[in-house]
Amino acid sequence: MKIQFLKNKKTVFICAGVFLILLGVLLTVNAVSKRTLKIAFYQISDGTKEAMIKNIKPFESKAKFYTIDGSKPLSKKAFKKYTIIFTYNSKSLTEKSSLIKSVPEDTVSFLPSKIAASTKIENENYALPVLLDHFELAVYKTYRTQLNLKIPQTLKQLTSYLIAVNENASYPLLVIGADDNELWGFVSTFAESMFSSEQYEVLCKSLYEAQKTNQDIPYNLKLTLNEIKKLMHLGLMHPQWTQLTQKDAEYLLKDHRVGTLASTLSMHRKLPNVLTKYYEATIFPKDDTSSKFGVVCPQVCAVLTKNNLKTADGAAAVLHKLVSDDMQKNLSADTMLAPAASVGESVDSIADDIRFFAAAAPAGPLMTFSSASFTDPAQAHRYAEKIRAYLEQ
């Protein structure tokens, strides 16, 4: 009996030892997990995401990277699961500001004041702009030189410019309208140019309410679409521009049939350089240059969540590093987008101009309608189809 008791006692000690070892391992794994930065990307292109990862890994080797399904709304669950989220500035972020930790002031100080103000709520930054996209106008230099034309500064001058270019170009103005981002960028930019920034932001709110309740297209948005229709009826745009793809644009550019290209910087970069190198990019013309205006400028932002306080210092350090001179230079070079910080070398003069436009415009960088008025990507796509249908009537 005594031998059996000793055997049982030994077994208990062994089991207890194994349990303690396993518990120690679990606690260690859990502690490491809590120190590991979980960095997620939402609706960020593969190229930009890869550039971010490439530049973050050298100084944050323990970070783990994830991709959030961009076809679905950005959920509250994501803010509880990840430490840093990279996404575009949007209504989705402002609605969830209570789940977001504000960006430290010493990091925000690296940004021009207008760019910093674009992500503020009650004097706190809910996101850190890291890179800038932009909806721009690019004019074909050969036709402009042949016809001795000046780059248009207002919408009226743009119409006159397109009429003049129509002598040489089959399609004076080209927009890649089959792409939702390009469609929203063009319509948003045209509306902001017509109404100035303050009325544009009112229109963003009107569209937000209209799409939520399935109301008709807001009045000022209809006015914008009607002005675009005028350009179509004058034969200054491709008659099927709302269905044009990137490949269609490449074909038309190759044959020198395009007088001006209106596109995002990111789309401009996707097109072969051999086709776009003779196009001079500039800010989209404003209807009234004396009024307060902004620039439609999608911003790749970094968001600090309140997910895990144990990684807060490390996450804040990552954001601070993202706006440093070297990092901004590297990210601009790798993504071909514009840097957001005041300093940091741009990949080229086009990207540098965009930073200047965003920093110098009285209203600073503005969201597109799709970012400012929609939180559900599927709903934004359905409304884009609604706009196409209206333009094609």
Side-chain angles (χ1 to χ4, degrees):
M1 291 292 293
K2 187 175 181 180
I3 294 173
Q4 184 63 39
F5 171 76
L6 291 174
K7 284 183 178 179
N8 290 340
K9 190 174 182 181
K10 185 178 181 181
T11 302
V12 169
F13 281 133
I14 292 172
C15 290
V18 171
F19 174 77
L20 289 172
I21 291 170
L22 289 174
L23 181 61
V25 170
L26 287 171
L27 289 173
T28 301
V29 169
N30 189 47
V32 170
S33 176
K34 286 185 177 181
R35 290 196 301 271
T36 300
L37 294 184
K38 295 182 178 179
I39 300 175
F41 297 86
Y42 178 72
Q43 293 189 332
I44 300 296
S45 70
D46 289 342
T48 300
K49 179 178 72 174
E50 288 165 8
M52 290 282 189
I53 294 172
K54 169 190 168 184
N55 285 281
I56 291 172
K57 272 187 173 180
F59 68 91
E60 193 55 57
S61 59
K62 291 181 180 179
K64 290 188 176 181
F65 302 94
Y66 306 85
T67 300
I68 301 171
D69 186 351
S71 66
K72 298 177 181 178
L74 186 56
S75 67
K76 290 183 179 180
K77 186 177 180 181
F79 288 84
K80 296 177 180 178
K81 185 175 181 180
Y82 304 109
T83 318
I84 299 175
I85 298 175
F86 284 101
T87 186
Y88 283 91
N89 192 19
S90 65
K91 185 76 172 175
S92 295
L93 293 185
T94 58
E95 283 193 342
K96 297 177 180 66
S97 58
S98 63
L99 303 172
I100 297 171
K101 183 178 173 61
S102 61
V103 182
E105 287 186 15
D106 63 338
T107 298
V108 177
S109 66
F110 281 79
L111 305 175
S113 59
K114 296 294 183 183
I115 295 176
S118 66
T119 60
K120 274 189 176 178
I121 295 179
E122 296 180 355
N123 294 320
E124 290 194 344
N125 286 82
Y126 58 84
L128 176 72
V130 178
L131 291 166
L132 308 175
D133 203 344
H134 176 238
F135 198 87
E136 60 193 19
L137 185 73
V139 301
Y140 188 46
K141 289 185 283 188
T142 301
Y143 292 159
R144 185 171 73 82
T145 302
Q146 288 174 349
L147 298 168
N148 193 27
L149 299 172
K150 293 182 179 179
I151 292 176
Q153 301 297 314
T154 67
L155 288 181
K156 287 182 180 179
Q157 289 178 13
L158 175 61
T159 301
S160 300
Y161 184 94
L162 297 176
I163 290 171
V165 168
N166 202 21
E167 295 180 17
N168 295 48
S170 302
Y171 306 108
L173 177 61
L174 186 73
V175 180
I176 303 172
D179 184 297
D180 281 1
N181 287 332
E182 297 300 302
L183 180 80
W184 281 119
F186 180 58
V187 173
S188 302
T189 301
F190 212 100
E192 198 278 332
S193 294
M194 284 178 62
F195 298 114
S196 79
S197 62
E198 291 177 353
Q199 291 186 56
Y200 175 76
E201 290 178 352
V202 171
L203 179 50
C204 287
K205 293 176 183 177
S206 298
L207 182 56
Y208 174 69
E209 294 300 327
Q211 60 90 16
K212 276 179 60 180
T213 55
N214 202 28
Q215 296 174 24
D216 195 17
I217 297 174
Y219 177 73
N220 278 352
L221 181 51
K222 276 190 177 180
L223 289 182
T224 303
L225 299 179
N226 289 341
E227 287 300 311
I228 294 172
K229 275 188 172 185
K230 287 180 183 178
L231 296 179
M232 296 169 66
H233 293 155
L234 288 170
L236 303 178
M237 296 185 71
H238 193 292
Q240 282 86 45
W241 74 268
T242 55
Q243 304 301 326
L244 283 182
T245 65
Q246 181 182 334
K247 286 187 177 180
D248 295 328
E250 290 176 10
Y251 171 76
L252 296 173
L253 289 166
K254 184 178 180 181
D255 285 353
H256 307 289
R257 300 169 71 185
V258 178
T260 60
L261 173 69
S263 74
T264 56
L265 169 67
S266 52
M267 176 58 77
H268 190 134
R269 302 298 200 191
K270 289 179 186 177
L271 297 167
N273 183 60
V274 69
L275 302 179
T276 60
K277 64 181 179 179
Y278 298 112
Y279 283 80
E280 185 177 0
T282 184
I283 192 169
F284 200 87
K286 304 296 176 182
D287 195 38
D288 181 2
T289 54
S290 65
S291 63
K292 186 178 179 180
F293 66 90
V295 288
V296 174
C297 190
Q299 302 171 79
V300 177
C301 292
V303 177
L304 278 174
T305 72
K306 293 180 178 178
N307 168 44
N308 195 334
L309 296 177
K310 291 189 177 182
T311 58
D313 291 342
V318 169
L319 264 62
H320 194 80
K321 181 69 174 177
L322 287 171
V323 289
S324 65
D325 295 6
D326 290 344
M327 180 64 79
Q328 285 281 285
K329 176 183 176 180
N330 293 340
L331 288 175
S332 182
D334 290 340
T335 64
M336 301 293 281
L337 297 175
S342 300
V343 291
E345 188 177 326
S346 303
V347 65
D348 57 22
S349 60
I350 297 175
D352 203 44
D353 284 345
I354 289 167
R355 174 169 53 185
F356 172 76
F357 296 152
L366 302 171
M367 303 179 208
T368 61
F369 283 137
S370 54
S371 295
S373 306
F374 296 85
T375 56
D376 183 349
Q379 179 68 0
H381 173 69
R382 286 193 291 270
Y383 215 94
E385 289 289 272
K386 188 174 184 176
I387 286 174
R388 289 188 181 96
Y390 184 89
L391 289 166
E392 292 165 4
Q393 288 176 354

